[in-house]
Amino acid sequence: MAEAFQVAKKQDLPPPGGYKPIPFKRIPAKSYFSGYTMFAGFIGMTIGSIYLYNITYKRILKDEIEMRSAKMAIYPALLAERDREYLKQLRRNRDAEAELMRDVPGWEVGTYYGERVYKLIPPDQLVEPIFQEYYAHSDIKEWNKRANIKLLS
Amino acid sequence: MSLSPFFRSPFTDVTGGMISHQLLGRCQKEEARYMDCLEAYGLERGKVKCAHLFGDYHECSTLTKQLKRFLAIRHERQRQISQGKLTGDEKYVSPRVDSY
């Protein structure tokens, strides 16, 4: 207690000139656009983008038309190619069957042991084969390739 | 084999079979011929008189003979391969994938 009177006192006094005023008023955020400006900006940007979208859309329509026309143009040629290959394969199948069943007793090419598949049609009319008949002489891998074509592509 | 009930009435028509090969099916012609023959002869006599038409119609709709042909051919090929008569490139004749 006696030391307190000998050392220079250091008190917590206010700064010289007094305290500055305490800011208590609200400081709202700086608003760059008003509400009407925002709506106007939105409508303006929408109009601009609609214009640009329509330009691109017309170009895309033209491209789609061209692609569709090209596909339609080559479709008959592709179909004809496939039919030619189909008929050639039918002939190869017939020859393979004749070669294979040469020594089987009672077998005639195109029949089931002599019994014709359809009895009331002329004998040389084409009977379109089922999938198994078409692929009767084929490798299992090729069979699966065609049978599972939807799964793989 | 009965194709229709003995007495046809609205009650039996409620659960009637409405599917037919006539709607652009594969067996349109065969079914038409067989049904015409049945209509002419009736069911009892038709079983005997229309048997040839029935054979073609049955084959068209179930494709059993074509399947049996395939099974016989395949069996023979497998037999010849396992006996060693068919080897190498001659084992199989495969079609092109996009030709069927």
Side-chain angles (χ1 to χ4, degrees), chain B residues 34-94:
Chain B
Y34 180 56
M35 291 304 165
D36 286 342
C37 182
L38 271 193
E39 196 186 356
Y41 286 110
L43 200 53
E44 284 306 314
R45 285 181 70 197
K47 270 192 234 177
V48 173
K49 291 243 178 198
C50 314
H52 55 296
L53 289 165
F54 176 69
D56 268 14
Y57 174 46
H58 186 81
E59 167 55 31
C60 177
S61 69
T62 54
L63 302 165
T64 40
K65 265 185 245 173
Q66 295 193 302
L67 187 70
K68 284 200 282 198
R69 254 175 51 86
F70 154 71
L71 289 171
I73 292 173
R74 196 74 188 172
H75 183 74
E76 175 65 22
R77 188 168 276 270
Q78 290 301 121
R79 199 184 63 91
Q80 285 193 5
I81 288 176
S82 54
Q83 279 180 351
K85 285 192 208 156
L86 281 176
T87 51
D89 265 341
E90 287 178 21
K91 270 205 275 189
Y92 298 110
V93 177
S94 306

